Amino acid sequence: MNTRLLLWKLVLTLTLFALMGGTLSCGEVEPRPRAWIDFPREGFTVPVRTPVAVISHAYAREGVAEVLLSVNGEAYRRDPPAQPGASFSEVTQEWLPQEEGIYTLQVVTYDAAGETSNPAMVSIRVVGEVARGPTDTPTPTSTPETPSPITPTFTPTPTGTPEPPTPTFTPTPTFTSEPPTPTFTPTPTTPPPPPPADWRLWVDDESVQAGSCTTVHWHVSNVQAYWVNGQPGAGDDGSFQSCPCQDETHTLRLIRRDGSEQNLSVTIRVSGQCAEPPPPQDTTPPPAPSPAVPANGLEIDCKSSQTLAWMPVSDDSGISGYYVKLERQVTPGNWQSVGGWGPVSGKQVDASVQCGLYYRWIVRAQDGAGNYSNWSSWSHFSIRLP
C-alpha cells in the first residue's frame, strides 16, 4: 500500500469519527448499520488476475457481526470484522478478477441482530496484462573471414605419338550334344479303402439321485456329419455334464460316408425329487431420481427455509427410502456440507437456508433389496439478499 492510499484511508477514518462524534454529541445514535469502502476508490484500474484488497469500515450499534462482499451483484465472500462485536471496525477482503471489464464492488454490514446496512459501492476497471516491448536485435561484432584465393591447377597436354591398340581375340565355344534323358511313366496303384466309421454314446452313471450330476460322453469318427441332442457336433470326441431332476434321454444321430443314417440314445434314470431352488436375489439398483424443486439455477427471494422435492422412482423390489445431501458455496469452487437426510419415505424435505448464499443438492434411492441407485446430478439454486 503506497503513501497516498494510507493518507486517503486516514482522512476517511478521521472524517468518519468526526461525523460520529457530532451525531453522538447531539444525543442521537445511528439506528441502522452502515458501511464505507476505503479502498479501492471509484475508477480504480487494476491488471487482470491481480489480487485486490477491498478495505472497508463497518458500523453497527448492536455490534458488527460480519461484512458481505459482492461483485456485480453476486455474493463473493463473507468475513468477520477485525474486532468482532465492536460497534465500529475495519474489514479487509481479497478479490481476484479473472477477466477484463468494469466491475461493481459492493459491501454490506450485518449486525449481531441480523440487521443490514445500505450497500456501499465503487466501480473499478480491470485491464489486460501490459505487453512487453520488442527485443533489440544484437549487432554482430565479429568480422567475416576473407576467403582464401583459389589457385588454378593446370593439366599438361601429352606429347609424342600414341601407340596403336593391341587386338584381342575371343575364342568360339564348341558345344557337344548329350543324349536325351528317358521319361518314366509310373504304374497306377489302387488307393486304400477309407477307415470304417466309429460311433459311441455313454454316461458315467445311468442311475443318479435327483439333483446329482453325471457326464455324458460321445465319440464319432469317419462320418459325414453328426448331431448330439439336435445340435451339430464338431471333432471326434465331446462331453457335457447333466444334473437331472427327472429321467432324461440323450441322442446321437449321424450320417455315414455312404449316406446311411444311424441313431443312438442313452437314458439317465433319476431317483427322488429335486428341492425347490431359492428365488433369485435382486442385485439390480433402482434408477436415480431427478431433482425437481427448486428448478436448477433458480434464484429465490430471501427466506429461512426451502423445500427440496424430487421425482420418485420405482423398482421390482419396491423403494425403501431416499437420501438427500445439501451443500452451500463458501468461496467460488469450494462447497461445505449443510445437512443430509435419509432414509426419507416421502419425496421431499425442508431445509434451512440463509440469504445471500448459493446452494446445491443431490438425491438417490434405495430399493427393498438394499440396492442403492446412483446419485442424481447436482441441482443449484441461490437465495437473494433481503
Side-chain angles (χ1 to χ4, degrees), residues 21 62 210 253 268 271:
E62 302 297 333
R253 171 176 169 262
I268 303 174
S271 302

Side-chain angles (χ1 to χ4, degrees), residues 168-175:
T168 302
F169 298 96
T170 303
T172 301
T174 303
F175 299 96

Side-chain angles (χ1 to χ4, degrees), residues 58-282:
Y59 165 76
R61 181 176 60 183
E62 302 297 333
V64 177
E66 61 181 358
V67 174
L68 171 66
L69 171 63
S70 301
V71 180
N72 286 346
E74 296 184 3
Y76 184 76
R77 61 182 294 170
R78 292 172 179 260
D79 294 279
Q83 300 84 26
S87 299
F88 181 75
S89 184
E90 177 184 295
V91 178
T92 300
Q93 298 168 294
E94 187 176 278
W95 169 60
L96 182 64
Q98 298 292 339
E99 298 179 355
E100 302 178 44
I102 304 298
Y103 292 84
T104 299
L105 306 182
Q106 175 181 295
V107 171
V108 175
T109 299
Y110 285 77
D111 66 5
E115 292 292 331
T116 60
S117 69
N118 291 328
M121 295 183 291
V122 295
S123 294
I124 70 171
R125 182 180 182 185
V126 178
V127 298
E129 298 179 355
V130 179
R132 297 183 178 179
T135 303
D136 296 335
T137 304
T139 304
T141 56
S142 58
T143 303
E145 297 182 358
T146 303
S148 302
I150 302 176
T151 303
T153 303
F154 300 97
T155 302
T157 303
T159 58
T161 303
E163 297 181 359
T166 302
T168 302
F169 298 96
T170 303
T172 301
T174 303
F175 299 96
T176 304
S177 60
E178 295 181 358
T181 303
T183 301
F184 299 97
T185 302
T187 302
T189 58
T190 302
D198 183 20
W199 59 89
R200 284 171 285 163
L201 177 67
W202 73 99
V203 295
D204 288 345
D205 298 304
E206 293 186 358
S207 297
V208 298
Q209 191 69 24
S212 299
C213 299
T214 186
T215 303
V216 180
H217 304 268
W218 65 86
H219 170 78
V220 180
S221 60
N222 303 316
V223 299
Q224 291 189 29
Y226 72 92
W227 296 260
V228 177
N229 293 334
Q231 299 297 321
D236 292 346
D237 300 277
S239 64
F240 65 87
Q241 193 177 61
S242 176
C243 306
C245 291
Q246 58 186 5
D247 294 352
E248 63 181 24
T249 299
H250 302 280
T251 60
L252 170 65
R253 171 176 169 262
L254 60 93
I255 298 178
R256 291 180 288 192
R257 293 185 182 275
D258 60 4
S260 60
E261 184 175 319
Q262 183 73 39
N263 292 279
L264 292 178
S265 65
V266 62
T267 300
I268 303 174
R269 303 298 179 181
V270 179
S271 302
Q273 294 181 347
C274 292
E276 284 292 331
Q281 185 178 3
D282 180 11

